[in-house]
Amino acid sequence: MRATRILLQHKPMIRFLGKRKTPSNVDHTPKPHPASPTHELPSSFSSYRQQATNYGPLKKNSPSSSSSSSSTSSSSSSSAAQQTSGLRKELLSGRSGRSLGPVEPKEGEVWDRDQLPMRFRRLEFTAAEIEAVESGGASFW
């Protein structure tokens, strides 16, 4: 009972000096990210979208994309999705792999952990560790 009372009288180890107060002025103006390659903000979202990449360029360069965009605006959303996926297949299926560019990692990049130095690779599990996991830890004791 006495031990419970002692435990319930918890005092935090950290102490704050003074009252809490929020800053009077906070600058919310947009700023470029410190690691940005250009160190400047885009002028508009559409200009950013022209240069952005997400697993490949987002900008469509084919002449059929402009004609399909006008026809898809009047059609339903399901047919628009089918046309978009068809356009992607059309852009890639008619081209050879060589024309798509090199398939080599850049300098300093690796595609698999086995290409890294030994200190960065995955550690192999020992038989004892596997047994401990399978038994729920009971075999360790």
Side-chain angles (χ1 to χ4, degrees), residues 130-141:
I130 294 171
E131 179 62 32
V133 169
E134 288 177 348
S135 67
S139 65
F140 253 7
W141 309 107

Side-chain angles (χ1 to χ4, degrees), residues 58-138:
L58 298 175
K59 184 176 161 184
K60 296 178 180 143
N61 293 333
S62 69
S64 61
S65 66
S66 61
S67 62
S68 67
S69 64
S70 62
S71 64
T72 56
S73 61
S74 60
S75 62
S76 66
S77 62
S78 63
S79 65
Q82 289 173 352
Q83 286 180 354
T84 305
S85 65
L87 180 63
R88 286 185 191 146
K89 289 178 187 174
E90 194 178 293
L91 290 174
L92 293 177
S93 63
R95 299 172 66 189
S96 67
R98 182 173 288 166
S99 69
L100 294 175
V103 187
E104 293 293 325
K106 297 176 186 170
E107 186 177 338
E109 292 181 356
V110 294
W111 286 346
D112 191 63
R113 281 192 179 191
D114 292 336
Q115 296 171 338
L116 291 171
M118 288 300 290
R119 61 186 175 144
F120 297 116
R121 294 186 188 175
R122 291 187 178 102
L123 297 175
E124 297 292 326
F125 292 114
T126 64
E129 291 172 327
I130 294 171
E131 179 62 32
V133 169
E134 288 177 348
S135 67

